[in-house]
Amino acid sequence: MITDRYAVKLTHSMDTSDPEYWALDSVLTKEEAKFMLSFGKIRKPYRVEELAKKNNITVEHAKELIDHLCWIGVVEMNRENPEKEKQYNVPIFVPGSAEFMMMNDRLTDEHPHLASFFNLMTQVPLEGMTENIPLGGAGVGMHVIPVEKAIETESRSVSVEHISHWLNKYDKYAVGICTCRKQQTMRGEGSGEIGGEFCISVGDMAEFMVDRECSRYITYEEALEILDRSEKHGFVHQITNVDGSDKIVAICNCAPGVCNALRTSQLYNTPNLSRSAYRAHVDREKCVACGKCVEVCPVGAAKLGQKLCRKDGSEVSYPLSELPDAVKWGPEKWNPDYRDTAKINCYDSGTAPCKTNCPAHLAVQGYVKMASEGRYMEALRLIKQDNPFPAVCGAICNRRCEDACTRGSVDQPIAIDEIKKFIAARELEADQRFIPVCEKDDGGMWGPKYKMAVIGAGPAGMTAAYYLRTRGYDVTVFEKDERPGGMLMNGVPNFRLEKDVLEAEIEVLRTMGVEFRCGVEVGKDVTIPELREQGYKAFYLSIGLQGGRKAGVPGEDAEGVESGVAFLKRVASGMSADGAEAAVKLPGDVVVVGGGNVAVDVARTAARCTSGRVTMLCLESAEEMPAARDEVEDAESEGIVVKNGWGPKEVLTENGRVTGIVFKRCTQVKDAEGRFQPQYDENDTIAVPCSTVLQAIGQSAEWGALLEGTKVELGRGATVVHDPVTFQTGEPDIFVGGDIGHGARFAIDAIADGKKGAESMHRFVHPGQSLTIGRDRREFIQLDKENIALPDYDRTARQAPGHKAGDPKGTFHDLRLPLTEEQIRAEANRCLGCGATTVDLNRCIGCGLCTTRCEFDAIHLTRDLPEASNMIACDNKIGPVAKYAAKRQIKILLNKK
């Protein structure tokens, strides 16, 4: 009687192994099952008195049975009669009794298999049927309702497509938990969208849910607030679609990775099941490939591509998903990986190189475009969606975005970092800083039951703290030094990164509510097991590589030999109050060993601490040096001599103190496979007299007792062994990021790690969440720069920043000036606008979330599919389904011919 599977219903073929049987058998007594039979096969409501008479029992006993059946969720109440009296009916399973049962925590605690039942009832009844569902859904399940702001100016819209229509139709509202989120959590397949109050019941359903103690009444204004917050967090509005065109019972705010309705339509690759009458279209001229619409698209219809044509003048075309309209459909056409394919960000043919090559994949084209329009605060907000330290990166980033910039194939790349630096200058003014909203998905904060610990206040750790806080967590950052910042504070010299810039961006975290505990060494002052006892649920290790490496040559233990890292820390700790002068002084000439950016920082710092000469020697040739070319040029402009192709052989000493260092000719740095394997000519040597040798040939881990009592494993270079996607270590509640996870890289790499680590920690602390299902891995492909036709473009030369007057070697202050506002606009207009979003119209469900993320008016909804607004009662679905199926079969036959 109750099954939604028509084949089973008509053939009476159900047995005890079917989910409808075992689910109801576990929650109903025989008396209750017999009582429910009195409702009959047609969904018809009855008053208590009618049911008492049909079952030959007292009204009191009938009321007792009904109350319990309503509590279970297999009977539903409404007041759809002239007297507005309570009456009862047996609903379908989905949306209906399976969901009602899932709302009842006591029931699901006793019968956890109900989660599997709910999941099965969204799919099993539709197998072999989904391809025959016409637009409008034919009374099956749910119907997507667009974001109202996205269709306000659409003259052809109809009332059923507006959330306001449904809210205004009813006078009672209640909010309760999302059963889909709960179900997937119980099944261990959550995708990070944690349960909470998301589902709004309306009218009689609101009363029914409150009576069952599964919901609470809310006001109209509270309902609007829930809907608005859901849009901000990327949830899809859907209404129930089983009662025809004049009635709904709920408005859901659906999480794409767990929503049964969206999951089912995506699994079977049949969007007709739930799509709205709208589809998204991109204005390519306005689109700047920021990718924010792509990130929020619940079904993967929006992806990044390229705007520029190929050399032959043709536009790159993008495939449309196949639909079952005119082809045979079966399991081979389904999409079992729908949750992961919905998170593929770009097409194989690629998109803008700047976004692709940035480790944090910033919306470069987006903030450059905003800068050209003078929208600086909006640009800052856009940047901080992916990078909470734009001012820091504006000062020290190694600019991989610029290295890849398509404009660089024409003349010179866009000065992306200078533009970011100008935008981020607002962080220096407390009243202009962007402070993000911090809340969990349904509002409020998680509180002390979900405390997060970050160990190490470098760029990776502080980034993790930033994004965890935006998701509503209490976050404590433990730092063994007396001030946060890690190597940004204690290693990068002031002339590259003024500390007031760093402190301003750290202050944003404090304003957000992140707690810093400095001067606390975890493993010594407090242990990880002790922090667990204090209630911390997950840990992020980001202590960086604090030690220096030795070359392994004779004499390197002599007085006057020091690691470059230790030297930089010593200088940073002894700076004058104004940050212009260092207390550390070096006697005589200095030799710096190494060819990376740290070595350049060491050499330039040494030049400010000695009156002698500074010489820098490294294995690599000038072309192979890992240091940025402009950094090397700055060093040379300050009188530092750079000698390439030399490796240390021996430190010369006298009475235990350095007097010089001998180098041998390096004939090869890497082998044929690109592995580091230097070869030397031992007979070709030079001796360089000096009083100080600073070794900047690599960094090492300094663990102390931090890992005692944990199962964290160390690998090459004493870095942490971890999962490359989730950053989880051998200890499930410990995650890792930054240099201590993969070796020495750059601040932007650590920032990218921090955001990924925060996502994993968020999922980990909530039972039932997968660390990988539906995860946006943010993988991008660069377009083919060798096969593009350049449009007419602004031929302005690259803008160069000025410098303050003064001798660079005479101060530790940064003498670089930012670009002027006029220069910023000129430089931003040089951008070729390589990338653009493209929408797969066959996959789009018309939710409108993409429009809420676009800051460029580049994506809009159009009412392409008016028939999708047709809502019919589920009891009447056979006719529309049969009619559509017949038309579809004719098309299939014609296609075969």
Side-chain angles (χ1 to χ4, degrees):
M1 185 190 83
I2 196 171
T3 183
D4 299 337
R5 293 186 286 163
Y6 277 82
V8 172
K9 185 190 291 285
L10 294 173
T11 59
H12 297 273
S13 57
M14 185 178 293
D15 60 35
T16 57
S17 65
D18 285 298
E20 297 95 328
Y21 181 89
W22 52 254
L24 294 180
D25 184 47
S26 66
V27 298
L28 298 178
T29 66
K30 288 183 178 180
E31 181 186 20
E32 289 169 335
K34 181 180 178 182
F35 182 82
M36 288 188 66
L37 288 172
S38 64
F39 282 89
K41 292 186 178 182
I42 300 173
R43 279 206 310 158
K44 178 183 175 182
Y46 295 94
R47 292 180 174 85
V48 174
E49 294 78 9
E50 295 174 301
L51 291 166
K53 184 176 181 180
K54 285 170 71 72
N55 288 275
N56 197 27
I57 58 177
T58 65
V59 171
E60 291 75 18
H61 188 38
K63 183 66 167 61
E64 181 182 328
L65 287 170
I66 287 172
D67 285 348
H68 189 250
L69 291 169
C70 285
W71 178 84
I72 292 172
V74 292
V75 168
E76 176 184 342
M77 182 278 292
N78 66 66
R79 293 179 181 271
E80 294 175 6
N81 56 75
E83 297 79 19
K84 299 295 182 182
E85 293 180 345
K86 286 185 177 181
Q87 59 185 19
Y88 303 88
N89 67 281
V90 178
I92 62 174
F93 280 125
V94 180
S97 56
E99 289 172 288
F100 300 157
M101 286 190 274
M102 285 300 300
M103 293 174 187
N104 189 328
D105 288 340
R106 209 173 93 199
L107 189 70
T108 54
D109 286 345
E110 294 176 8
H111 306 286
H113 58 272
L114 291 176
S116 294
F117 171 65
F118 183 26
N119 183 63
L120 288 169
M121 285 299 97
T122 64
Q123 296 176 6
V124 172
L126 294 173
E127 284 190 6
M129 180 181 175
T130 55
E131 60 268 31
N132 292 316
I133 300 294
L135 285 167
V140 177
M142 306 292 288
H143 179 70
V144 170
I145 291 292
V147 170
E148 186 134 343
K149 291 177 182 177
I151 60 172
E152 284 176 339
T153 59
E154 173 65 64
S155 61
R156 297 183 299 157
S157 68
V158 296
S159 58
V160 298
E161 294 159 340
H162 290 261
I163 292 174
S164 58
H165 164 77
W166 296 110
L167 286 179
N168 293 329
K169 182 178 176 66
Y170 298 97
D171 60 354
K172 293 193 289 280
Y173 318 96
V175 66
I177 66 165
C178 168
T179 54
C180 294
R181 289 171 170 89
K182 179 180 176 181
Q183 166 213 285
Q184 288 296 80
T185 294
M186 290 178 65
R187 297 178 63 243
E189 289 195 13
S191 51
E193 298 132 329
I194 313 304
E197 293 185 327
F198 296 99
C199 294
I200 301 170
S201 304
V202 295
D204 296 340
M205 182 58 65
E207 181 183 357
F208 174 59
M209 290 301 176
V210 173
D211 287 350
R212 296 181 68 230
E213 299 182 348
C214 292
S215 295
R216 61 183 178 85
Y217 283 122
I218 57 173
T219 64
Y220 179 90
E221 290 71 25
E222 287 175 310
L224 288 178
E225 182 181 349
I226 291 167
L227 292 164
D228 181 63
R229 184 185 300 114
S230 295
E231 290 173 11
K232 290 176 181 176
H233 287 279
F235 302 137
V236 179
H237 304 316
Q238 292 194 93
I239 55 175
T240 52
N241 187 24
V242 296
D243 295 295
S245 60
D246 296 324
K247 178 185 176 183
I248 65 169
V249 295
I251 304 171
C252 294
N253 297 292
C254 303
V258 296
C259 168
N260 278 333
L262 294 177
R263 286 173 54 233
T264 302
S265 66
Q266 295 305 299
L267 168 63
Y268 295 123
N269 230 348
T270 50
N272 280 5
L273 279 170
S274 55
R275 74 191 324 171
S276 81
Y278 291 83
R279 295 189 301 190
H281 296 265
V282 176
D283 183 336
R284 288 167 59 84
E285 292 306 310
K286 293 181 178 180
C287 181
V288 294
C290 68
K292 297 307 167 184
C293 60
V294 175
E295 291 172 19
V296 79
C297 181
V299 296
K303 286 185 173 62
L304 288 178
Q306 72 180 64
K307 185 183 297 183
L308 301 179
C309 293
R310 298 189 184 94
K311 281 185 175 179
D312 62 8
S314 63
E315 289 190 4
V316 177
S317 60
Y318 298 97
L320 294 175
S321 296
E322 188 178 31
L323 294 177
D325 297 340
V327 295
K328 189 176 179 181
W329 212 251
E332 73 283 354
K333 301 286 189 180
W334 297 351
N335 182 18
D337 300 322
Y338 56 94
R339 284 175 290 190
D340 294 323
T341 59
K343 291 300 179 183
I344 295 175
N345 286 273
C346 96
Y347 285 99
D348 291 343
S349 55
T351 190
C354 52
K355 185 175 183 70
T356 300
N357 285 273
C358 172
H361 304 299
L362 268 63
V364 176
Q365 270 184 241
Y367 70 75
V368 168
K369 181 66 173 178
M370 286 175 168
S372 74
E373 298 170 344
R375 299 161 59 190
Y376 305 127
M377 183 52 72
E378 292 169 83
L380 179 61
R381 184 174 66 241
L382 180 62
I383 292 170
K384 295 191 81 167
Q385 291 182 40
D386 300 302
N387 178 359
F389 299 102
V392 167
C393 285
I396 66 170
C397 190
N398 67 323
R399 304 177 183 176
R400 276 170 269 181
C401 54
E402 293 187 23
D403 291 342
C405 178
T406 306
R407 182 65 188 247
S409 303
V410 180
D411 43 34
Q412 289 183 292
I414 309 300
I416 296 169
D417 226 38
E418 292 295 341
I419 294 172
K420 179 162 75 255
K421 183 177 182 179
F422 179 90
I423 291 167
R426 276 129 199 84
E427 298 282 72
L428 298 176
E429 303 295 332
D431 60 345
Q432 293 191 53
R433 291 172 186 157
F434 170 67
I435 310 297
V437 173
C438 299
E439 65 177 11
K440 56 192 179 78
D441 288 346
D442 62 344
M445 305 295 284
W446 287 109
K449 289 185 178 181
Y450 292 94
K451 293 195 297 184
M452 302 287 202
V454 173
I455 302 173
M462 291 194 295
T463 298
Y466 179 94
Y467 289 112
L468 285 168
R469 187 62 182 169
T470 63
R471 301 189 80 155
Y473 292 100
D474 290 354
V475 186
T476 305
V477 181
F478 297 89
E479 170 56 55
K480 72 175 182 179
D481 287 324
E482 294 303 318
R483 53 185 183 174
M487 291 299 288
L488 298 177
M489 182 68 76
N490 303 311
V492 179
N494 286 17
F495 53 79
R496 289 195 63 216
L497 175 62
E498 293 280 15
K499 297 307 175 275
D500 61 339
V501 172
L502 175 59
E503 288 169 348
E505 295 198 314
I506 293 174
E507 189 60 31
V508 170
L509 273 72
R510 290 195 177 99
T511 303
M512 292 165 60
V514 173
E515 179 186 4
F516 287 90
R517 293 188 189 174
C518 295
V520 176
E521 183 176 347
V522 179
K524 178 182 177 183
D525 303 312
V526 65
T527 67
I528 287 178
E530 287 171 343
L531 290 174
R532 288 194 185 108
E533 291 177 3
Q534 293 176 25
Y536 288 95
K537 301 299 182 186
F539 302 85
Y540 191 70
L541 299 184
S542 52
I543 63 170
L545 298 174
Q546 300 292 322
R549 293 187 184 278
K550 292 186 176 182
V553 299
E556 65 181 350
D557 292 327
E559 184 182 352
V561 179
E562 186 177 10
S563 79
V565 172
F567 170 68
L568 291 174
K569 286 183 180 178
R570 192 157 60 92
V571 172
S573 64
M575 293 298 298
S576 60
D578 64 358
E581 188 176 353
V584 174
K585 301 298 178 185
L586 299 177
D589 294 344
V590 179
V591 168
V592 176
V593 183
N597 281 330
V598 173
V600 175
D601 285 347
V602 169
R604 295 181 68 195
T605 301
R608 289 160 171 78
C609 296
T610 182
S611 58
R613 294 176 300 174
V614 177
T615 307
M616 177 176 162
L617 298 97
C618 64
L619 300 176
E620 299 87 358
S621 67
E623 294 73 25
E624 294 174 318
M625 282 181 72
R629 187 65 243 164
D630 59 338
E631 294 292 328
V632 176
E633 290 172 356
D634 286 343
E636 291 175 329
S637 71
E638 294 171 8
I640 296 165
V641 176
V642 180
K643 293 181 178 291
N644 298 96
W646 296 99
K649 183 173 184 177
E650 178 187 4
V651 176
L652 303 176
T653 64
E654 186 175 314
N655 298 323
R657 179 163 185 86
V658 172
T659 60
I661 180 170
V662 177
F663 287 86
K664 54 189 175 182
R665 172 67 69 183
C666 179
T667 58
Q668 173 189 291
V669 179
K670 297 179 180 179
D671 63 17
E673 282 72 42
R675 293 171 298 196
F676 182 72
Q677 195 173 50
Q679 301 293 318
Y680 303 97
D681 180 350
E682 300 286 346
N683 297 316
D684 187 359
T685 63
I686 57 172
V688 184
C690 62
S691 300
T692 302
V693 172
L694 300 174
Q695 298 195 86
I697 56 174
Q699 296 161 248
S700 62
E702 294 183 347
W703 283 107
L706 173 57
L707 298 180
E708 289 184 8
T710 76
K711 298 177 183 176
V712 175
E713 298 178 8
L714 300 183
R716 184 178 179 183
T719 56
V720 177
V721 176
H722 63 278
D723 184 277
V725 173
T726 68
F727 291 81
Q728 190 175 41
T729 70
E731 189 81 71
D733 63 350
I734 297 179
F735 300 81
V736 68
D739 290 353
I740 201 63
H742 46 56
R745 293 183 189 170
F746 297 89
I748 190 64
D749 296 282
I751 288 166
D753 287 353
K755 188 174 183 182
K756 294 172 186 174
E759 171 66 20
S760 293
M761 294 170 73
H762 159 70
R763 291 182 180 221
F764 173 79
V765 298
H766 298 281
Q769 304 303 309
S770 163
L771 297 190
T772 57
I773 290 176
R775 185 182 183 116
D776 187 348
R777 301 193 181 191
R778 292 176 63 75
E779 295 171 343
F780 298 86
I781 299 169
Q782 177 178 295
L783 59 79
D784 182 3
K785 291 190 289 184
E786 300 300 316
N787 188 19
I788 55 172
L790 293 177
D792 188 30
Y793 57 88
D794 186 325
R795 297 179 185 273
T796 304
R798 177 180 167 118
Q799 302 296 299
H803 287 77
K804 299 174 186 175
D807 176 14
K809 291 175 63 176
T811 180
F812 271 85
H813 280 313
D814 186 355
L815 298 183
R816 296 172 296 178
L817 288 170
L819 295 177
T820 66
E821 188 164 5
E822 183 180 359
Q823 285 181 303
I824 287 293
R825 297 201 180 197
E827 187 61 27
N829 283 325
R830 296 180 65 240
C831 178
L832 298 175
C834 304
T837 294
T838 183
V839 174
D840 181 344
L841 296 178
N842 284 356
R843 200 164 183 172
C844 178
I845 60 171
C847 65
L849 286 173
C850 53
T851 68
T852 69
R853 298 302 193 268
C854 184
E855 300 281 354
F856 303 92
D857 192 35
I859 193 164
H860 301 93
L861 295 187
T862 303
R863 193 165 181 259
D864 298 341
L865 308 170
E867 292 179 22
S869 297
N870 298 336
M871 298 172 65
I872 65 169
C874 65
D875 293 329
N876 302 326
K877 68 175 155 231
I878 294 299
V881 169
K883 183 178 178 181
Y884 181 79
K887 288 183 178 179
R888 185 173 156 267
Q889 286 302 317
I890 292 171
K891 290 180 181 178
I892 293 172
L893 290 172
L894 291 174
N895 278 345
K896 285 184 178 180
K897 294 180 180 180

